[in-house]
Every structure is written in C-alpha cells, then in structure tokens.
Amino acid sequence: MNHEKMKNWLKQHTLILEESFCDSLRKIVEEYKEQYGYKTMSEVYRLMGISRQQIAYWAANPYSTQTKKTVFDSIKSSRDFLLI
C-alpha cells in the first residue's frame, strides 16, 4: 500500500497514528542501550538482527511490511534480547 492510499484509509476510518514503527523501535533500542550499558545503538541493533539500512528503509517506506516481519520473528526467537 502506498503512502497516499494509507493516509486515505486512515482518514476514512478516523484513525490517528501515534508513533511510527521506526520511532518506536529507536526508543526501545535507546532504553535497552541505557539499561544494559551498551556503548552504541548499533550494538543493540546487531543483537536484534537488524541494520541501520533497514531502519532507513522503513523510515523512507513507512507502510512497507516486507522486511518488518523477519525482524519480529528474529526478536521472538532470540534468547538474548528481552523486551520488558
């Protein structure tokens, strides 16, 4: 779904997006970094199995779900990364 179609769909259903996927992910990574003492966010992204290129892609294509599913699957199967 492209950006215009998604905006129209949200408007028709009177839905307002609070926070983007990328913003939410960055906030989680930043909190995890501070809580567990990692030096950079890149270390946490690597722990999650994602790259900064993927974050940039998702920021540029906010309605794309092509690669997001693989991230959620890898986070669910990871024993090292816990979201509390």
Side-chain angles (χ1 to χ4, degrees):
M1 202 178 264
N2 69 23
H3 185 68
E4 285 302 315
K5 285 182 182 179
M6 182 58 83
K7 280 177 50 178
N8 289 336
W9 186 89
L10 291 170
K11 188 175 180 180
Q12 288 172 354
H13 293 86
T14 61
L15 296 172
I16 299 171
L17 295 178
E18 293 288 325
E19 188 173 47
S20 76
F21 175 77
C22 294
D23 293 337
S24 178
L25 186 59
R26 284 185 187 117
K27 187 187 301 180
I28 289 169
V29 168
E30 184 65 36
E31 290 172 5
Y32 195 85
K33 180 187 96 152
E34 290 174 12
Q35 185 176 2
Y36 293 100
Y38 288 97
K39 293 181 182 178
T40 65
M41 290 175 64
S42 295
E43 292 176 305
V44 181
Y45 285 134
R46 190 173 31 252
L47 181 64
M48 293 174 67
I50 58 175
S51 67
R52 287 193 179 261
Q53 286 107 353
Q54 288 173 305
I55 301 294
Y57 173 81
W58 295 330
N61 302 286
Y63 304 113
S64 171
T65 58
Q66 290 179 352
T67 56
K68 291 176 188 168
K69 185 179 180 325
T70 60
V71 170
F72 289 123
D73 290 344
S74 67
I75 290 172
K76 281 195 280 186
S77 65
S78 175
R79 294 182 186 156
D80 297 332
F81 196 85
L82 298 174
L83 297 177
I84 299 171

